[in-house]
Amino acid sequence: MSKKELKPEQTAAKPASKKMRTKELIYAGAFGALYIVLMMVIVMSFGMVPILYIIAPIAVGLVCGTVYLLCVLKVRKFGAALILGILFALMTANGGIWSICGVIASALIAEVVMLLGKYKSKFMYLLSFVIFNLNMACPYLALATAKDAFIQRSREYYGDKYADGIAALATDWIWFAVLGFAIIGGILGSLVASRLIRKHFEKAGVV
Amino acid sequence: MGFDVYDDESKALLHFDPRTKFMLFVTSLIVSVNCFDLMPLLIYSVFLCAIYFLCGKRMQAVKLFAAFAFLTYLKFAMERAGTGAPVVVMIFSTLITVFLFFFPVLISLMLITKTTRINQFLAAFQAMHLPNALIIPLAVMFRFIPTVQEEWQGIRKAMAFRGISMEPAAILRAPMKTVEYILIPLLFSTISVMEELAAAALARGMDSEKKRTSCETVKLRVHDDLVMLVFLGIAGYFVYRKITGGAA
Amino acid sequence: MIELKNVDFHYGGENGTGDGVDALNLTIHDGEIVVLCGESGCGKTTVTRLINGLIPHFYEGELLGEVLIDGVNVSQSELSETAKKVGSVFQNPKSQFFNIDTTGELTFGCENLGMPPAEIARRLEKTKDDLKLSALMNRNIFELSGGEKQQIACGSVYATEPDIFVMDEPSSNLDQKAVHRLHDTLCKMKQAGKTIVISEHRLHFLTDIADRFIYLNDGRIEREFTCEEIMQLSAEALSGLGLRCTSISQIPCAPQPLNQQKKPALEVLDLSCSRQNARILDIDRIRLPEHGIIAVIGDNGCGKSTLAEALCGLLPCDGSVSFGEAYLDAKQRQKQSYLVMQDVNRQLFSDSVLEEVMLNADVTEHDAKSTLSALGLGDYTDRHPASLSGGQKQRTAIAAALCAGKEILFYDEPTSGLDCRGMERFAALLHDTQQRVRLSVIITHDPELILRCCTHVLHLANGRVSAFYPIDLAGAERVRSYFLAKSEDSTSKKRDHTSQVGKILQYAGDHRKTVCFAAFLMILGAAASVTPYGIVSILANRLLTGESVTLQNSMPLIGGILLCEILYAVLYMQGLKVSHHAAFGTLENIRCRLQEKLEAQPLGSITERPSGEIKKLFTEDIESIEMLLAHMIPEGLANLFVPAAALLLLIAADWQLAVLTVLMVLIGLSISKQMYKVGMDRMGSYFASARRMNNEIVEYVGGMEVVRVFNRQNDSDAKFEKAVREYRDFALDWYRVSWPWMALYGSVFSHIVLYTLPFGGLLILLGQLDVTRYLLALILSFGIGPLLLHCMSFVGAIPQVSYKLQSLERALDTPPLKAGDAAFSGTDHSIRFEDVHFSYRDTEVIKGVSFEVPQGTTFALIGHSGSGKSTLAKLLVHYYDLNSGRISIGGQNICDLTQDALNAQIAYVSQDAFLFNKSIMENIRIGRKDAADEDVMAAAKLAECDDFIRSLPQGYDTPAGLAGSMLSGGQKQRIAFARAILKDAPIIVLDEATAFVDAENEQKMRRAISRITQGKTVIIIAHKLRSVQDADRILVLRDGQIAAQGTHDALYQTSEDYRRLWDISAQTQDWKLKQEVTA
């Protein structure tokens, strides 16, 4: 298999339409289920130990990268990543309205990236996953925006000492750290995914 | 996720339309972000618990409310006593505060998942005129989650025979290999189920471009309208306050 | 009408394999039922896909030619349009449904077509009635069995009312009952005039419905058969074409010789396995021989897969499993066994076949390659496993198991969906590996596979072992009759998710309110017991703050304490009284429920059990629940609420201490939970060994007399000792596991003061806490402590009670007798046995017996011991349910009658006459409840027992216990006769009734018998052939089958068996101790 270009679609009886058909919608939903189950399992097992909670985006990126790439490779149309993103947003809706927006935004950007690569460029696919994995950082987004308001309220309630204590703990750099982890997770995940796909799925002829 | 496929509806005194429950959820999101006083939060949570109770999950509503009341009491006692090492106090009060503010969202989420059947859900989505392109993947996702769990159970059993261990120590020793062993059979078996499912669904006439009907009917009734109005009012109030930047 | 004109198709696209069909020309008229058959890969599935439009819309490739349905070209119209005319059912039940609930799935097709809700509801009702799906409505699809899922799939397609049904291997994953149901569904569709196209391997269930069989080979239609033609093909011809058998009764069997090994390869003792509060397996004993190939059969849901998983060590279970001679635990069993699952996709981990086989296995590449080539995969070593066909994937998994050196292989449905050659190849594979592995166990629904290569059959029903037999000629017959039997439906039950407490409350029934009241009283009482501590702390407070404490101003407080204590005592007593009341009420409900269950059981299975066991069940076991019930719920609740309230107070006092207390309590709880969990495993074997020991003791005492006379003390003692020792070992095992946790708990966590004291002191020193509050907290914790401890002990009681309840239910859970509710409506009192098969435990005792007893005649059954005579008589009175066949009286099946109606028709006199502990008059009156005393005495006179009864101390009123010791066996027998005479039933069965009789009484008995049998239909079973010489007809039984029948003279002439029996009998009649020498 060539490095840069992937196998083009074979000609079918009808010209392939640009829109996602029922078959592809079903595929997207099924991969979405897989993505979300894996994500939840990882987050819950990491969530036991508070420190590891922050590293969760790396693990999720590692594991779910393959799922994401398989999904978009099987569909190869606009909308696969978006649907995954919307499903993800629904499942993590308790992160607040900003979290939902963030997830959908990152999914959209990922879609655009793939579109720019005309669904053929391998590098663009990998990049789109890196962007997609940013959605793991979105639940923390709510914390970041609400944090200032929260600190202010606490100052009024508990006094300065307490509020300073909180401010010391919940510094800004935690959020940047999470963002960084998400990017690292995305890169690692896409590398792992490309290796796995080449080793298994292309060899078996599924993709 | 804890979706009940067929919950025991005999205990429910009221049936709310799923759309109402969505509205409650959105309102809870807004409230939890914008409300900082304890009293309004308390009243709001009581309201939600009452609705949850009416919808049939009596024991759970009572238990949740008891937990909420207990934590409020604890917080109150802590503040009144004013004693304790600052670190400990801070950790505890943060945890409690986070939970308290999170509570309405939790309840409204449980209201959605544990008292609604999935078919009602999808029928509600259709009534809201969401595009088929969104409803079909959602329906497939719900149906697939138990399948993924089943496949996963099967794969763990197969792993046990092959001597592939899933203990944390083993995972840390060879993370890449473990990821491969988990993902490969999972993906292959899921893909084969997926393809068969798609073939079966298409052969039975499913088409994303055509409108589907549903044997479940979702209708907005009197209590739905009432509740929606009330909660819309609450949400509107909070948003208004936020916009005008009012003080506590 | 379906027309395929010159259709040419080859798969292309992303999954292109290049094969397909060539030059197909096929016409199917309306209302026809066509079966497409052939080997795997011949193109049958492709034809079905062409018809329902999946080719080319879903499966891409080059299509030439036309597929017309009613004149419309399917390949060019939309799939949703085609779906209106063609309904499709696919092979794999678990991947074709779109919804999670059954009702939604049934309406799925209609919803897709956009029908209005009213119409959908109407069609749902119609489908439910036509296909008999009412038991499956409103359920979670994931809980259904494969056959039920397939039923729902058929229903879903049926609801859209298409004209054409297309089915792709619908029966491949189904068990035999489900196949019968599928057959009935197809008949229904045929009646409605639909066109059905089925692509199938299993042909035997289609031979009576199909119109045509079309045989495809390599993408072309080669031949067409009608039903008769295909039935006439011999087994070799079918195999040559690659087709499976067309009729189950014709499957050839090659019995496998197996060297009888002494030690078993796998032995199981007391295995029980439960999931989510429901018990699935309950097995006493299994022994599987070395190098055997065991087929496990049974209905879906009976626990076959669970058994396989438990044996491999995947599922936690109670009981002991040994491989070879060593008892192994779950992890060790996993290392030595391997389960080839039905879904092979889940077992392949690597990217090449060679890698897969060498994964984590201690094998050289050379050996791995040779194993692969032995299995026919030598050319595929570098291919990716996912690109292989199903059969090849399966062989890869088996190769992996062999290379890993596994000793015991389990297969879960290996041949479902395989064609004839695939099945033959698999059977050959099993043969080749037979000597290499210790044991192969196959779960299967495939009779051809079983008869081709298996050595034994293990039949499971309802989580229990129903039979275990080798496959010799008789065994093969049993297998065939199992697969041919058309028994009633049994749909899987809805999973019972009631929690343990819920179950107990269920039994409480109307006593629930009493339980609540008791709980309320106890809560008040417990509150009253804690209040004194509060009062004391007030007193102490006063002291600390320097107020003067005199007797006077503390009087009210002391009075308060006194009042509280009195209140506590009174309320607690009341509460206990009420709760015991409720508990006994619950026990009453339980006993009544169990008694109902017991009554519904076949008499045979009740008499099988040692009476000690049933007695223990009803008296001791149920009694032992009482204690727990009475105390558990009310006291437990009280002991929960009051500490909770006290905790709230504690928080008000000092929250830090409160948090610490809660933390410690939680840790203590988790420790006791852990102890419980760890002990749970052993508890099962402990209770089982207790039960065995009990039975052993009963037997020991009961058999003492016999043991002494025959001098077998040593054996008997040894057995007794062994049972007791085993019990001790299991008990110790259980305790040993629980001891560390109990010790930990008792020492460290039972006294909270251990923590609050120093911690509180620290806080005081730090100035965080003042002494008054500290004192309050301490005192409160003293008050709560005992309550919490009390509560803890009851938490452990709940699972125990639930377990006991479950084992009670389980003990009486054998399938109830299939009795009906009709009254007797037969034309006369003739008896007819039609092809009766009955097996008892592992042996088939009655093998196809048919005979008829006309009204008013006397029939005699004779034969050697063990030939089945008594069994036949017992079957007539419905002691057991038959395996197959029919017994009827006057044309009416005895299974349709109520037990009462049946028993009213038959008087059964057996060898052992049981006398109840009443007067003789009452004992005889049992024959007919409303008989007058004169009738009783008349019957006694006819039975020739009047004289000796009158000679008893109180005549007819002598209590039978007293009389029993004075009566001989023959006299007791005559009382039994009196009963039968009094009953005056039209049919009489005498089962070796003259067994105990000495010569003098025999004459009297003979007279009595001839009096009874006037004008009735009689069946006599006897050893003494002289006594039945005059019977109208004599039946000679040998080995469960009729060897000969006729009158005495005719039989003496024709039947050698009869002659032999007669001669032996004559000899014994004339047997004397010493030969008299005639001068």
Side-chain angles (χ1 to χ4, degrees), chain A:
Chain A
M1 297 298 139
S2 59
K3 266 261 184 184
K4 280 289 178 182
E5 283 217 12
L6 296 166
K7 217 165 53 165
E9 236 184 311
Q10 299 215 348
T11 48
K14 286 188 343 194
S17 68
K18 286 282 181 172
K19 223 169 74 151
M20 282 177 73
R21 283 150 54 217
T22 322
K23 174 168 93 166
E24 281 116 13
L25 289 173
I26 296 182
Y27 286 162
F31 276 112
L34 199 52
Y35 193 100
I36 285 173
V37 169
L38 283 172
M39 189 261 301
M40 293 247 170
V41 165
I42 293 180
V43 167
M44 300 232 203
S45 46
F46 272 68
M48 297 301 170
V49 184
I51 300 290
L52 293 184
Y53 203 68
I54 312 255
I55 314 186
I58 297 189
V60 173
L62 251 181
V63 176
C64 295
T66 323
V67 179
Y68 171 87
L69 275 176
L70 261 179
C71 176
V72 293
L73 282 174
K74 239 178 148 26
V75 173
R76 286 187 203 246
K77 287 183 190 164
F78 188 88
L82 191 59
I83 291 186
L84 276 186
I86 295 180
L87 292 176
F88 187 94
L90 281 176
M91 286 301 142
T92 55
N94 47 24
I97 193 80
W98 292 116
S99 152
I100 298 180
C101 293
V103 169
I104 298 189
S106 61
L108 261 174
I109 301 179
E111 281 286 2
V112 169
V113 168
M114 283 197 289
L115 188 63
L116 287 177
K118 294 201 203 335
Y119 297 108
K120 288 210 191 75
S121 158
K122 179 169 169 151
F123 176 71
M124 283 308 206
Y125 276 120
L126 300 184
L127 183 64
S128 79
F129 178 63
V130 177
I131 298 180
F132 188 80
N133 203 33
L134 291 178
N135 61 18
M136 278 302 288
C138 292
Y140 300 97
L141 197 65
L143 217 62
T145 54
K147 183 192 60 149
D148 302 321
F150 187 66
I151 290 186
Q152 199 190 5
R153 290 288 156 201
S154 328
R155 204 175 285 273
E156 288 179 20
Y157 270 128
Y158 297 118
D160 289 319
K161 197 169 69 145
Y162 174 65
D164 286 335
I166 293 249
L169 266 189
T171 51
D172 264 338
W173 66 260
I174 279 195
W175 190 69
F176 283 119
V178 172
L179 204 60
F181 284 143
I183 296 183
I184 296 177
I187 297 178
L188 281 177
S190 48
L191 289 176
V192 166
S194 85
R195 200 188 113 225
L196 279 182
I197 291 184
R198 195 170 11 143
K199 184 173 167 196
H200 286 269
F201 295 95
E202 282 176 6
K203 194 171 173 194
V206 170
V207 175

Side-chain angles (χ1 to χ4, degrees), chain B residues 6 73 78 83-84 119 143 150-151 157 161-163 181 196-197 202 204 207 210 212-213 215, chain C residues 80 94-97 101 105 111-112 115 142 156 309 337 346 356 359-360 406 648 656 768:
Chain B
Y6 278 105
Y73 176 72
M78 260 172 42
T83 57
N119 286 351
R143 176 251 184 271
E150 262 182 33
E151 297 289 324
K157 289 178 190 163
F161 289 122
R162 292 305 209 74
Y181 290 149
E196 286 175 21
L197 177 68
L202 284 177
R204 288 191 287 167
D207 196 334
K210 297 243 169 85
R212 294 185 76 236
T213 53
C215 65
Chain C
S80 40
K94 71 171 193 184
S95 59
Q96 28 171 341
F97 54 90
D101 58 314
E105 184 63 17
E111 290 173 356
N112 285 341
M115 296 182 199
F142 287 97
S156 166
E309 287 178 6
S337 60
R346 298 178 186 170
E356 184 70 40
L359 182 66
N360 274 354
K406 303 283 186 175
L648 289 178
Q656 296 181 65
Q768 301 273 353

Side-chain angles (χ1 to χ4, degrees), chain C residues 968-971 974 994-1005 1024:
Chain C
S968 72
Q971 289 170 326
R974 270 179 279 159
T994 55
F996 284 136
V997 163
D998 51 71
E1000 172 213 333
N1001 288 310
E1002 190 175 333
Q1003 262 225 332
K1004 294 205 178 136
M1005 297 268 273
K1024 298 208 187 103

Side-chain angles (χ1 to χ4, degrees), chain B residues 5-6 70 73-74 77-86 88-89 92 117-119 122 136 139-140 142-144 146-147 150-165 167 177 180-182 184-186 188-189 192-207 210-217, chain C residues 15 52 54 58-59 78-81 83 86 88 90 92 94-105 107-117 120 138-140 142 153 156-157 309 312 314 331 334 337-339 341 343 345-350 356-357 359-360 384 386 400 406 647-649 651-652 654-656 659 768 773:
Chain B
V5 181
Y6 278 105
F70 176 71
Y73 176 72
L74 187 61
M78 260 172 42
E79 286 174 11
R80 208 176 66 119
T83 57
V88 178
V89 169
F92 265 100
R117 292 212 299 262
I118 297 187
N119 286 351
L122 297 172
I136 294 182
V140 173
F142 286 138
R143 176 251 184 271
F144 236 80
T147 306
E150 262 182 33
E151 297 289 324
W152 173 239
Q153 298 291 339
I155 292 173
R156 282 198 62 178
K157 289 178 190 163
M159 279 196 202
F161 289 122
R162 292 305 209 74
I164 302 174
S165 160
E167 276 153 35
K177 270 288 173 198
E180 189 174 338
Y181 290 149
I182 298 178
I184 299 305
L186 195 59
F188 274 116
S189 56
S192 82
V193 175
M194 207 189 294
E195 287 178 347
E196 286 175 21
L197 177 68
L202 284 177
R204 288 191 287 167
M206 174 163 244
D207 196 334
K210 297 243 169 85
K211 185 160 166 27
R212 294 185 76 236
T213 53
S214 168
C215 65
E216 291 268 356
T217 42
Chain C
N15 303 325
N52 66 18
L54 281 178
F58 191 83
Y59 296 101
E78 288 288 327
L79 261 183
S80 40
E81 288 300 316
V86 179
S88 314
F90 298 85
N92 198 347
K94 71 171 193 184
S95 59
Q96 28 171 341
F97 54 90
F98 197 83
N99 297 62
I100 307 190
D101 58 314
T102 51
T103 320
E105 184 63 17
T107 57
F108 178 69
C110 303
E111 290 173 356
N112 285 341
L113 299 178
M115 296 182 199
I120 299 183
N138 288 338
R139 288 181 59 176
N140 187 344
F142 287 97
S156 166
V157 171
E309 287 178 6
C312 299
L314 285 178
K331 279 256 160 44
Q334 267 176 28
S337 60
Y338 192 85
L339 173 64
M341 304 178 193
D343 210 342
N345 275 329
R346 298 178 186 170
Q347 296 191 286
L348 302 171
F349 294 93
S350 314
E356 184 70 40
V357 164
L359 182 66
N360 274 354
H384 193 288
K406 303 283 186 175
L647 187 68
L648 289 178
L649 270 179
I651 293 181
D654 179 48
W655 66 273
Q656 296 181 65
V659 167
Q768 301 273 353
R773 288 172 189 256

Side-chain angles (χ1 to χ4, degrees), chain C residues 519-531 568 635-649 780 783-784 787-788:
Chain C
F520 177 65
L521 284 177
M522 288 217 169
I523 290 179
L524 284 182
S529 78
V530 176
T531 327
Y568 169 55
E635 259 190 80
L637 274 179
N639 291 334
L640 208 57
F641 273 131
V642 175
L647 187 68
L648 289 178
L649 270 179
L780 268 180
I784 308 178
L787 286 180
L788 271 181

